[in-house]
């Protein structure tokens, strides 16, 4: 096990009806800005629950944080926040709304242009942030990370701020999610685990098993959710899995990869493709490309998640990768670049961008532009 | 899954050499009291590392917090703390030192007698506390619980204060632990998991699997640690497992039992028996007594941890309980009251104490004095 520091102070309030605890979580004297995406929270009852819970409190609404939150939108919120002396943020939405609000939390107390913060990669000076999660997927509700886009230049980068002080997770709010968002959330959760698990062998028995626990839970619930996405128990497991996949709990003392995510971010930046969908395409290609390097871990994963125990190692590895791709297909997602109409031009542009940034992802920092090119060729 | 609130703000610093990060974790202006147990930290190098890290800082040493920390000892520390205006506590030791220091952290700012706090069961007014853990076992380094004894009256009760602000876990400090302490630590960790797992079926797929992950890790490492307790990797897994078993991570949304612990505490209060040893005796008896009620969960546990998959359910349950008892025996622990020279007098006294307190433990609150009596009869 590698040395590590773990810290996660987010208070999680989980379950049906928990939104009504909002008022106890935000000090009475705070000037609140509530941030939203589109209007879905107005049709699924979340907007009503949130505003009822905060009745009589001093709050401003900010609407329109888009999927892959854009710096231009966030700057508008930051300007309003400065003007109104906002000192508490409440993000109501999925990963994009929460990610965007993390940048707002750093941008309000910052004097300069908020894009400078994104380029810098992090800010420790923030105003407090709570969340009401509506889409299980990114884990942003219980970590300090965000991903911010700039459409003008087709850029998309990670950014680190502070942990939400609280996050409210009520599984019933997921009952009205479109099938595609559920599929992308399941894929995103699966690949979050993989980025922290599909690396070096035997770094930690316990962390391996905790990662495998989330993977097995996802494989178990995914087909059942397809049958009934209003099953409280199943959607609770989904919501929990998504949060636990990226809150540091499975990352203690083990190596991390993140090459698939970084390639996926480029597909989103260049083509506007939904994040979870990019991962379903890229991750099987990553495994195919790095199968020799990740050999022992793929064998362990194949055995423990997919029951692949017989045959020579090369055949077991091939079967395991096939089963992984089939899982994403079973969710209803594309798993090849060709299905999305993406060709060699994009592959070359991503390789170029990786080289330009001096990219060195993967658990050994060896996924450069050239390796990204090979991965993407294996996604065709 | 049941509704729940999760919160754990302890910062974990894990790995070889982490003790030298102490000084960054404690603000420079703090008047520190360092609390210790006996002198083992002077022979294993921990005392030297801690005092070197804090060289030039304002600190007082308090020695002599015993196993099952006694209110009389803790009152002495509280008196010194008040006198010296101590505003930061650093517990250096195992669960008893950390537990005792949690009461000190509440006792220093409290005007009355500290035993009143224990009888009340909790205090939110505390001074901050950090820890350097030397014995993996109780999980106290990453939770807000403690257990305080009063030898004068043979009493022992749980007490809740605040979470440590940080805990430093360096597996190398465990290399010199006596075999019996390692055995008790493994048993304690195993039963901590069981108190949160061996309850109702299918409350959470993910939490079940996380609990089973710790159990499987313990079963895997226990015989290997017997061969070589200076194996860094194995002792890291042990130390991590012990902390993760009682920091709330496996308790989200599921029922809890704690009857075995409450009976075990009485055995310690009456006979001074080491905590982990009490659990190795009581837990198999709890399973034998409540096998009907916990039927489905025992079958799941038997299959997933001990590979018990064939035979009629009653035979599988009996075999699973036998394997659990054999595991404790393999650690070198006693598993029957008779081996410890404990007879019916003690059983009756514990039943009487449960009745007197109106005890109602177990996931359904139905472990009364009468049930405790039956459990203990099944431990003979």
């Amino acid at each position: 096990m590698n040395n590590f520091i773990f810290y996660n102070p987010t208070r999680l309030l989980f379950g049906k009806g928990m939104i009504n605890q909002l008022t106890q979580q935000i000090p009475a004297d705070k000037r609140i800005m509530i941030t939203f995406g589109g209007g879905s929270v107005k049709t699924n009852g979340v907007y009503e629950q949130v505003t009822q819970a905060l009745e009589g409190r001093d709050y401003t609404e900010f609407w329109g944080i888009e999927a892959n939150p854009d710096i231009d939108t966030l700057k508008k919120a930051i300007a309003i926040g400065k003007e109104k002396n906002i000192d508490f943020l409440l993000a109501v939405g999925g990963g994009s709304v929460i990610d965007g609000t993390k940048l707002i939390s750093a941008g309000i107390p910052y004097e300069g242009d908020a894009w400078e913060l994104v380029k810098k990669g992090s800010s420790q000076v923030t105003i407090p942030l709570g969340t009401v999660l509506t889409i299980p997927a990114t884990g942003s509700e219980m970590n300090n990370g965000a991903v911010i886009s700039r459409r003008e230049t087709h850029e998309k980068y990670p950014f680190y701020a502070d942990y939400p002080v609280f996050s409210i997770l009520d599984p019933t709010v997921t009952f009205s999610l479109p099938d595609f968002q559920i599929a992308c959330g399941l894929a995103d959760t699966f690949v979050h685990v993989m980025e922290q698990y599909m690396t070096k062998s035997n770094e930690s028995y316990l962390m391996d098993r905790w990662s495998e626990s989330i993977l097995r839970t996802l494989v178990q619930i995914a087909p059942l959710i397809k049958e009934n996405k209003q099953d409280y128990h199943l959607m609770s497991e989904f919501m929990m899995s998504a949060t636990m996949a990226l809150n540091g709990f499975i990352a203690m003392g083990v190596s991390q990869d993140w090459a698939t995510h970084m390639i996926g971010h480029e597909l989103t930046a260049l083509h506007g493709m939904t994040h979870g969908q990019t991962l379903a395409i890229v991750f099987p290609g990553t495994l195919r490309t790095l199968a020799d390097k990740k050999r022992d871990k793929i064998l362990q994963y194949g055995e423990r998640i997919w029951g692949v125990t017989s045959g020579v190692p090369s055949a077991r590895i091939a079967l395991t990768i096939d089963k992984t791709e089939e899982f994403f297909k079973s969710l209803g997602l594309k798993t090849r670049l060709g299905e999305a109409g993406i060709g060699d031009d994009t592959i070359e542009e991503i390789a170029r961008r990786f080289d330009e940034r001096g990219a060195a992802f993967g658990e050994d920092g060896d996924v450069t532009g050239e390796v990204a090119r090979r991965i993407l060729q294996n996604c065709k």
Side-chain angles (χ1 to χ4, degrees), chain A:
Chain A
M1 200 176 291
N2 306 318
N3 283 13
F4 69 86
I5 295 176
F6 170 89
Y7 175 63
N8 192 325
T10 301
R11 190 181 302 268
L12 215 58
L13 297 94
F14 190 100
K16 189 174 177 176
M18 280 295 193
I19 294 175
N20 69 19
Q21 300 220 7
L22 254 182
T23 184
Q24 289 119 281
Q25 302 301 320
I26 306 177
D29 59 346
K30 293 291 182 187
R31 287 173 303 277
I32 306 163
M33 178 188 282
I34 314 181
T35 55
F36 299 98
S40 65
V41 293
K42 286 214 170 159
T43 55
N44 65 12
V46 173
Y47 174 77
E48 203 180 343
Q49 286 184 68
V50 166
T51 49
Q52 272 180 2
L54 293 178
E55 207 180 311
R57 303 292 288 272
D58 176 1
Y59 69 81
T60 301
E61 297 179 14
F62 181 84
W63 287 85
I65 299 182
E66 59 277 269
N68 306 302
D70 194 280
I71 185 67
D72 289 339
T73 305
L74 304 176
K75 280 183 183 175
K76 286 177 200 156
I78 290 167
I80 296 170
K82 285 176 189 279
E83 183 197 319
K84 298 204 170 189
N85 289 313
I86 296 296
D87 56 5
F88 200 101
L89 292 161
L90 177 65
V92 179
S96 291
V97 174
I98 299 172
D99 279 13
T101 309
K102 284 180 183 166
L103 185 68
I104 300 170
S105 81
I108 289 176
Y110 184 67
E111 292 292 324
D113 184 315
W115 186 247
E116 293 168 13
L117 294 173
V118 178
K119 296 294 281 194
K120 208 180 124 219
S122 69
S123 173
Q124 303 309 313
V125 183
T126 59
I127 64 172
L129 157 70
T131 90
V132 175
L133 183 69
T134 59
I135 310 173
T138 74
S140 186
E141 63 279 6
M142 202 178 180
N143 64 43
N144 65 345
V147 189
I148 308 298
S149 294
R150 190 181 186 188
R151 279 167 181 68
E152 193 190 338
T153 50
H154 293 286
E155 290 174 285
K156 182 175 179 180
Y157 300 117
F159 170 73
Y160 296 89
D162 210 343
Y163 293 80
V165 290
F166 68 83
S167 282
I168 298 179
L169 278 60
D170 178 343
T172 64
V173 310
T174 68
F175 287 177
S176 56
L177 285 175
D179 293 346
F180 180 67
Q181 277 192 329
I182 292 174
C184 286
L186 288 164
D188 198 13
T189 303
F190 196 94
V191 180
H192 283 160
V193 175
M194 280 297 186
E195 300 277 24
Q196 301 161 84
Y197 167 76
M198 186 45 67
T199 59
K200 302 182 182 182
S201 289
N202 291 321
E203 286 186 320
S204 167
Y205 301 148
L206 180 58
M207 289 291 103
D208 276 6
R209 290 196 174 102
W210 274 12
S211 285
E212 289 156 358
S213 296
I214 300 178
L215 297 176
R216 293 180 73 163
T217 300
L218 294 171
V219 170
Q220 178 182 5
I221 64 176
L224 303 172
I225 287 174
K226 249 191 166 167
E227 298 298 312
N228 181 7
K229 64 184 177 182
Q230 305 212 346
D231 182 306
Y232 183 81
H233 174 56
L234 294 175
M235 296 309 270
S236 298
E237 297 290 330
F238 176 22
M239 212 167 198
M240 275 282 282
S241 294
T243 302
M244 299 299 141
L246 200 52
N247 61 359
F249 286 24
I250 60 168
M252 288 182 251
V254 296
S255 298
Q256 300 188 36
D257 184 332
W258 298 104
T260 297
H261 265 71
M262 292 304 158
I263 296 171
H265 288 338
E266 297 295 345
L267 288 175
T268 301
L270 292 165
H271 294 278
M273 191 187 290
T274 302
H275 176 60
Q277 172 61 84
T278 70
L279 303 175
I281 291 174
V282 178
F283 184 66
T286 299
L287 284 186
R288 278 180 217 110
T289 310
L290 303 174
D292 284 345
K293 182 188 177 78
K294 295 175 184 282
R295 181 181 183 280
D296 292 346
K297 205 60 175 278
I298 296 176
L299 290 170
Q300 175 180 318
Y301 158 67
E303 181 177 337
R304 296 191 185 178
I305 305 303
W306 300 110
V308 178
T309 53
S310 60
V312 296
S314 61
R316 285 162 61 191
I317 287 171
L319 180 57
T320 298
I321 298 173
D322 286 349
K323 283 188 176 282
T324 305
E325 184 172 354
E326 277 164 29
F327 174 68
F328 294 132
K329 271 189 193 158
S330 78
L331 301 177
L333 295 173
K334 301 181 176 77
T335 60
R336 298 285 173 160
L337 287 172
E339 293 175 75
I342 292 172
D344 284 337
D345 287 0
T346 294
I347 295 176
E348 289 310 311
E349 171 60 12
I350 292 175
R352 192 194 64 73
R353 287 181 172 206
F354 266 49
D355 286 338
E356 186 181 73
R357 289 161 69 187
F361 303 114
E363 62 269 27
D364 290 318
D366 55 6
V367 179
T368 58
E370 170 51 26
V371 179
R373 178 184 289 114
R374 282 166 41 214
I375 289 172
L376 286 161
Q377 289 290 346
N378 276 324
C379 300
K380 287 209 306 201

